[in-house]
Amino acid sequence: MKLDLWLLDISYDVINKDIPEIRMWGITPDGRRVVVLDRSFRPYFYVVPKTPEDAGKIAEVLKRRYGDRILKVDITDRKYFGRSITVLRITCKIPAHVKFLRDRVKEIPGIADVLEADIRFYMRYMLDNNIYPCSWNTVEAEEVPNKENWQVDAVYLAKQPPLRSEREDIPKLKVLAFDIECYNPRGTPKPDRDPIIMIGIATNEGDRVILKADDLNDLNIIREFIALVRKIDPDVIVGYNSNRFDWIYLLNRARRLKIKLNISRANSEPAQSVYGHFSILGRANVDLYDFAEELTEVKVKTLENVADYLGVKKKNERVLIEGAYIYKYWDDPDKRSQLEKYLLDDIESTLGLSEKFLPFAIQLSSIVGLPLDQVGSASVGFRVEWHLMRHACELGELIPNRIERPYATYKGAIVLRPKPGIHENIAVLDFSSMYPNLMIKYNISPDTYVSPMDYRGEEDVYVAPEVGHMFRKYPDGFYRRVLKRLLEARKAVRSKLKDLEPGSPEYRVLYERQRALKVIANATYGYCGWLGARWYKREVAETTTAWGRHTIRDTIDLARKLGLRVIYGDTDSIFVVYDKAKVDELTRIIRDKLGLEIKPDKIYTRVFFTEAKKRYCGLLTDGRIDVVGLEAVRGDWSELAKEVQEKVIEIILRENRVDRAVDYVRDVIRKLESGKIPLSKLIIWKTIGKELEEYEAAAAHVSAARKLIEAGFKVDKGDKVGYIIVRGSGRLSDKAMPYIFVDSIDQVDIEYYIKKQVVISALRILEYFGIREDHLISEKRQASILDFF
DNA sequence: GCCTTGAAGTTACCG
DNA sequence: ACCGGTAACTTCAAGGCG
């Protein structure tokens, strides 16, 4: 029978010792949860002989030595960086044999390279058969008995691999959000010491469950959790930071209590896998934190902050509990209900975030081809790489190995020195997808590169400005083909969007799709200059930025020739005094002469620059204030300093009243002096960017982190530490105290907050208008300093 | 021994 | 574990001065 399958998850196992069985877990159009098996596919890899003539001999050696593992050896032709080469394709019985052979085979004389031997079997299957997760696939299959008692409506055996289908809808997925709370009287909870005290579950079908431990015995809630997940049988399980915390903790506790966390559709435990995610067979386990990380507007990415920012659950409409004190709410019978409410708010927030992030995750998965549970935990580089691998396979190009490379840099983009002060009526003209379009235009790709050694003068090449690298004009390079497809696909999706009702489910799907396409296109340049990339080529990255500099310089010259006054520019944008006719003319010439698109992106009624590059603020024509690069948008300044700068900017841009801005700042300083500013606004957050032992300098956040560790808390690389500067002597770093240890404003070094936070962030703007520190510090304070002397 | 200065270390931003 | 360009902070050691 023919079967349509929306692919949710894919796995494999080896049956009868030597048959690899691909398992495609998915959903049918009538809403059944099924698994389709395919036993017809075998793993393989390639061997590149030093000379094509050696191929036959190598094949003989391979078969003689490893005949028990090798099914067959084919000598065939493939493309490698655009060139046709002869390779041996070695098909093995089971995936483990590829791993076994790939290192041993290298020892055989006459072998230049081993390729595609590091690709997971189920990815190999999807790659070769052009099967995409989170997409519809059609397969000819027959139903077989559910021998293993998997949690599905039916098991099918495929007669041949599925084919991608045209259907674009997304089936209704059953989503389960969960969160755990642990007992933590001694700092960060440890699974070998501290039990789980509560587990919360929420589903998109309205279920809300709060499980509670029997005092400090968590055996029953873990059992109940397992039973509940199985009963609800979700397609997607979401958590917040679940791959780095909840699953590890749950598995650890379960192991200690000698129970199995068998919640997968194959009745197995979550298992840690590639990119650090936990795989739950037959379901998609998605850690929403991975997607929250991309929200640069939220600086401290706690669940509360992210949910608040996205309007999922406002902070003032929920229970907030300081994480370190959770145990107190458990121990105190009067407070325990608050903890329950807190957990309920958390799981509802998590569920709410899934509505915000899953549509994008699904599109990303269907574009780059990584399963839904992996696509979030894979870094940007790996997402781009899988997208490239998909296309390489389709184009018959061999996939290069990941190799270690020595450190190397190259020149990047141009940033213009801004003209300081206030400018009125400024248009920001932006190139659309500049780097991808330049890579397409000049056919910049590893396979079209012509080294000076190889260049004989007869080839038609583009020569890059400044750096002189050459790239063949034809045929189309790998990056050109891939990027063209991406940009064209995005264009097509966007034109479809125009005919849809914003707010409709179809609109949402396509909107997220075009967004995912854009993200991948824009990250491809960065990828090609990444030392860890399979398709790394310094010349490719270097040439792209060289053409970028050339293009923006030409654009500036042209703009000036047309009589446009250029006040600033960065990489792919120029800020000009807005004259519609001249801007239209510029746009037209760039389109006709360069084949690139430049258009007004934003228009500022007024915009303010200091001497610094990459930092400015402006009043947009729609009345909104835009702050770029300044303290107000940085995560490593106190809320107070940011708020002050924001208000100052607002007063200057909207009212143009320096005196009022000064009054405002002085008022804030008075409040600070009289203890009327809440401690929460004084916290400074900074990321621990490396292992604590590796720090050479005594930095404030590191010192605060050490104080946390002293008190039993765990601080890992990548964590953000929040601290307050308290009174005392010595270096600033000595006075950095984790905020949870500060409970009174009397402990705070008010002087620091005045001079190094409020005044500095205010003067960043006001200095241009002739204001200095002593204008901002109130008379009372000055008097007190005088008195002191 | 104290103060100034500039390099180094560090983070987070822009596009 | 995506790039380079940039600003800005604190620390720290060297250099200058007396």
Side-chain angles (χ1 to χ4, degrees):
Chain A
M1 65 174 290
K2 252 207 161 58
L3 188 73
D4 276 338
L5 182 77
W6 194 84
L7 188 59
L8 179 67
D9 189 32
I10 185 163
S11 61
Y12 83 92
D13 203 353
V14 176
I15 57 167
N16 301 331
K17 293 223 168 61
D18 62 358
I19 300 174
E21 180 181 271
I22 288 285
R23 296 170 184 165
M24 289 168 276
W25 306 84
I27 301 169
T28 61
D30 55 347
R32 287 177 311 137
R33 273 57 184 167
V34 302
V35 60
V36 178
L37 314 175
D38 188 344
R39 296 176 187 148
S40 68
F41 189 73
R42 298 286 180 159
Y44 66 87
F45 65 100
Y46 294 103
V47 157
V48 185
K50 281 186 182 142
T51 59
E53 297 76 50
D54 290 347
K57 225 153 116 202
I58 293 169
E60 289 313 311
V61 175
L62 281 167
K63 278 189 262 188
R64 193 170 62 240
R65 281 201 206 162
Y66 304 112
D68 54 331
R69 293 180 172 84
I70 294 174
L71 283 177
K72 60 172 178 165
V73 179
D74 299 302
I75 299 175
T76 167
D77 285 344
R78 283 284 183 281
K79 275 185 283 170
Y80 193 41
F81 290 105
R83 283 201 189 111
S84 198
I85 60 167
T86 299
V87 292
L88 294 92
R89 178 176 147 139
I90 295 143
T91 307
C92 302
K93 283 186 186 161
I94 59 167
H97 293 162
V98 173
K99 210 174 169 179
F100 177 88
L101 287 173
R102 69 184 178 202
D103 296 318
R104 280 162 235 259
V105 152
K106 277 184 201 143
E107 308 301 321
I108 297 173
I111 290 184
D113 221 343
V114 173
L115 292 176
E116 303 194 10
D118 58 349
I119 295 167
R120 285 184 159 67
F121 184 57
Y122 56 87
M123 292 307 294
R124 174 88 272 169
Y125 180 79
M126 287 200 289
L127 230 40
D128 284 40
N129 296 298
N130 204 30
I131 296 165
Y132 281 77
C134 297
S135 308
W136 288 98
N137 299 278
T138 308
V139 60
E140 184 64 36
E142 60 176 45
E143 190 164 351
V144 292
N146 186 355
K147 282 194 291 194
E148 308 276 339
N149 201 20
W150 288 329
Q151 202 174 354
V152 288
D153 297 313
V155 180
Y156 295 91
L157 184 63
K159 295 196 170 144
Q160 61 228 325
L163 292 170
R164 196 168 189 179
S165 118
E166 293 301 304
R167 283 184 74 135
E168 278 192 335
D169 59 312
I170 291 164
K172 173 101 181 82
L173 299 169
K174 189 158 190 177
V175 180
L176 178 151
F178 83 108
D179 188 21
I180 68 171
E181 302 300 341
C182 304
Y183 194 60
N184 61 346
R186 291 199 273 171
T188 305
K190 290 186 180 168
D192 55 0
R193 179 181 73 191
D194 306 306
I196 294 168
I197 47 182
M198 286 188 187
I199 303 179
I201 286 176
T203 72
N204 61 345
E205 293 180 354
D207 305 295
R208 299 288 183 272
V209 183
I210 302 288
L211 303 169
K212 278 169 279 181
D214 308 320
D215 194 15
L216 290 176
N217 181 345
D218 52 4
L219 178 65
N220 284 334
I221 51 168
I222 296 176
R223 281 192 176 139
E224 286 169 61
F225 174 71
I226 296 166
L228 258 174
V229 174
R230 298 176 61 92
K231 179 165 164 266
I232 292 168
D233 188 28
D235 301 305
V236 184
I237 301 182
V238 296
Y240 196 79
N241 209 24
S242 50
N243 280 336
R244 288 166 207 80
F245 182 74
D246 303 63
W247 290 123
I248 295 172
Y249 212 95
L250 268 165
L251 284 163
N252 237 302
R253 290 302 298 172
R255 178 152 28 97
R256 293 182 65 80
L257 299 166
K258 302 201 166 31
I259 49 176
K260 287 277 177 200
L261 207 65
N262 290 339
I263 54 169
S264 84
R265 281 187 167 143
N267 308 316
S268 58
E269 295 199 289
Q272 195 151 30
S273 170
V274 64
Y275 314 123
H277 89 293
F278 280 85
S279 159
I280 300 174
L281 296 182
R283 317 187 195 278
N285 167 49
V286 177
D287 187 345
L288 298 170
Y289 180 81
D290 292 328
F291 296 94
E293 263 194 316
E294 284 154 38
L295 291 178
T296 50
E297 300 89 335
V298 186
K299 308 298 171 180
V300 184
K301 291 175 183 63
T302 57
L303 176 57
E304 307 90 84
N305 288 355
V306 172
D308 181 86
Y309 174 77
L310 294 174
V312 164
K313 192 168 282 269
K314 286 292 170 188
K315 268 174 136 179
N316 55 15
E317 290 166 13
R318 60 158 297 167
V319 176
L320 290 169
I321 291 179
E322 180 58 56
Y325 301 138
I326 283 171
Y327 73 96
K328 291 188 185 170
Y329 288 75
W330 180 252
D331 287 341
D332 184 343
D334 298 334
K335 285 173 142 183
R336 201 178 270 194
S337 67
Q338 277 186 67
L339 186 59
E340 281 179 50
K341 184 67 181 46
Y342 166 79
L343 178 55
L344 184 66
D345 286 337
D346 271 3
I347 53 176
E348 286 187 338
S349 299
T350 306
L351 189 65
L353 289 191
S354 77
E355 284 169 31
K356 299 284 176 187
F357 294 141
L358 281 182
F360 176 73
I362 286 169
Q363 292 308 319
L364 201 58
S365 166
S366 79
I367 291 163
V368 309
L370 277 166
L372 181 57
D373 60 346
Q374 290 181 26
V375 76
S377 44
S379 69
V380 175
F382 289 113
R383 292 178 196 170
V384 170
E385 189 149 277
W386 274 106
H387 178 248
L388 292 171
M389 284 163 77
R390 287 279 180 172
H391 286 275
C393 213
E394 229 182 294
L395 299 169
E397 271 275 350
L398 289 163
I399 297 165
N401 287 324
R402 188 179 301 291
I403 55 169
E404 228 175 294
R405 299 184 169 89
Y407 182 70
T409 55
Y410 59 90
K411 210 164 144 198
I414 292 181
V415 188
L416 299 188
R417 197 175 302 287
K419 305 217 183 321
I422 291 188
H423 304 273
E424 310 222 316
N425 192 29
I426 299 297
V428 182
L429 312 182
D430 255 5
F431 278 96
S432 331
S433 303
M434 185 198 239
Y435 284 165
N437 278 307
L438 290 173
M439 291 170 86
I440 290 170
K441 184 177 176 194
Y442 298 107
N443 208 19
I444 308 166
S445 190
D447 49 315
T448 50
Y449 175 68
V450 182
S451 78
M453 307 272 284
D454 295 341
Y455 188 62
R456 298 274 175 270
E458 68 269 25
E459 268 169 310
D460 221 349
V461 294
Y462 290 109
V463 181
E466 290 182 63
V467 294
H469 301 315
M470 293 176 284
F471 291 87
R472 278 191 286 279
K473 290 190 176 174
Y474 30 74
D476 283 358
F478 183 44
Y479 279 132
R480 179 187 263 177
R481 296 174 78 149
V482 171
L483 288 170
K484 246 188 186 168
R485 271 181 68 156
L486 268 182
L487 296 186
E488 275 161 15
R490 176 156 187 256
K491 215 178 193 177
V493 172
R494 273 158 65 101
S495 91
K496 269 196 210 167
L497 269 179
K498 288 200 183 108
D499 306 326
L500 289 172
E501 192 67 42
S504 67
E506 299 79 21
Y507 187 96
R508 182 77 198 277
V509 168
L510 291 185
Y511 177 81
E512 298 296 347
R513 187 161 187 84
Q514 67 84 23
R515 198 159 74 86
L517 288 164
K518 182 181 172 177
V519 164
I520 295 300
N522 286 344
T524 301
Y525 149 71
Y527 168 85
C528 79
W530 172 40
L531 286 172
R534 290 175 192 266
W535 277 278
Y536 168 82
K537 186 126 194 94
R538 197 202 77 231
E539 290 84 352
V540 167
E542 201 168 34
T543 297
T544 305
T545 56
W547 279 115
R549 295 191 296 275
H550 182 82
T551 305
I552 202 77
R553 265 193 217 109
D554 275 3
T555 305
I556 293 165
D557 289 348
L558 180 60
R560 289 195 173 131
K561 250 182 233 149
L562 291 173
L564 285 163
R565 201 171 131 75
V566 180
I567 59 160
Y568 179 63
D570 185 349
T571 313
D572 62 351
S573 70
I574 57 170
F575 289 50
V576 299
V577 177
Y578 191 37
D579 176 329
K580 186 163 188 306
K582 287 174 181 166
V583 166
D584 287 349
E585 176 71 355
L586 180 84
T587 302
R588 199 185 54 73
I589 297 173
I590 299 278
R591 193 202 324 115
D592 296 348
K593 293 267 160 67
L594 301 182
L596 297 168
E597 186 185 59
I598 189 169
K599 55 171 197 266
D601 174 44
K602 292 176 186 173
I603 298 184
Y604 291 114
T605 311
R606 334 181 57 202
V607 62
F608 173 75
F609 282 95
T610 64
E611 306 256 306
K613 297 170 175 180
K614 295 188 184 278
R615 319 183 103 213
Y616 55 90
C617 51
L619 175 61
L620 293 160
T621 44
D622 63 9
R624 287 193 347 261
I625 299 255
D626 200 18
V627 181
V628 179
L630 293 163
E631 284 75 4
V633 295
R634 290 182 63 100
D636 55 353
W637 286 78
S638 64
E639 193 53 45
L640 178 67
K642 302 204 301 180
E643 194 180 291
V644 164
Q645 189 179 64
E646 214 174 285
K647 290 263 171 62
V648 166
I649 287 170
E650 193 143 1
I651 295 168
I652 295 297
L653 288 178
R654 286 197 206 283
E655 307 169 35
N656 210 0
R657 290 279 301 272
V658 176
D659 58 328
R660 285 219 38 224
V662 170
D663 286 348
Y664 162 75
V665 178
R666 287 160 67 110
D667 190 47
V668 170
I669 292 172
R670 269 194 294 278
K671 283 205 181 99
L672 189 50
E673 284 170 329
S674 55
K676 286 186 195 138
I677 302 287
L679 282 173
S680 62
K681 289 195 179 182
L682 305 181
I683 304 171
I684 296 163
W685 293 90
K686 272 198 171 80
T687 307
I688 298 294
K690 46 187 178 183
E691 299 300 333
L692 285 182
E693 313 82 61
E694 291 171 20
Y695 280 95
E696 296 175 44
H701 65 305
V702 177
S703 148
R706 295 215 169 96
K707 288 167 192 165
L708 281 170
I709 287 168
E710 189 74 21
F713 294 94
K714 207 161 103 269
V715 180
D716 292 323
K717 185 157 85 169
D719 287 352
K720 272 204 158 69
V721 173
Y723 62 87
I724 290 175
I725 300 299
V726 295
R727 293 180 200 279
S729 57
R731 299 168 297 191
L732 186 69
S733 55
D734 298 322
K735 304 194 284 174
M737 187 60 72
Y739 78 92
I740 49 166
F741 301 154
V742 181
D743 38 43
S744 160
I745 191 84
D746 299 330
Q747 292 168 262
V748 176
D749 183 351
I750 297 296
E751 184 87 12
Y752 170 80
Y753 282 93
I754 293 173
K755 290 200 165 159
K756 299 291 182 174
Q757 292 277 323
V758 172
V759 165
I760 289 197
S761 68
L763 281 185
R764 190 79 60 213
I765 309 299
L766 295 174
E767 198 177 20
Y768 175 81
F769 301 95
I771 303 301
R772 289 183 312 278
E773 180 177 323
D774 48 304
H775 294 118
L776 297 179
I777 293 180
S778 66
E779 310 86 70
K780 195 180 151 228
R781 177 152 204 90
Q782 284 180 321
S784 70
I785 289 166
L786 289 175
D787 285 349
F788 180 78
F789 286 109

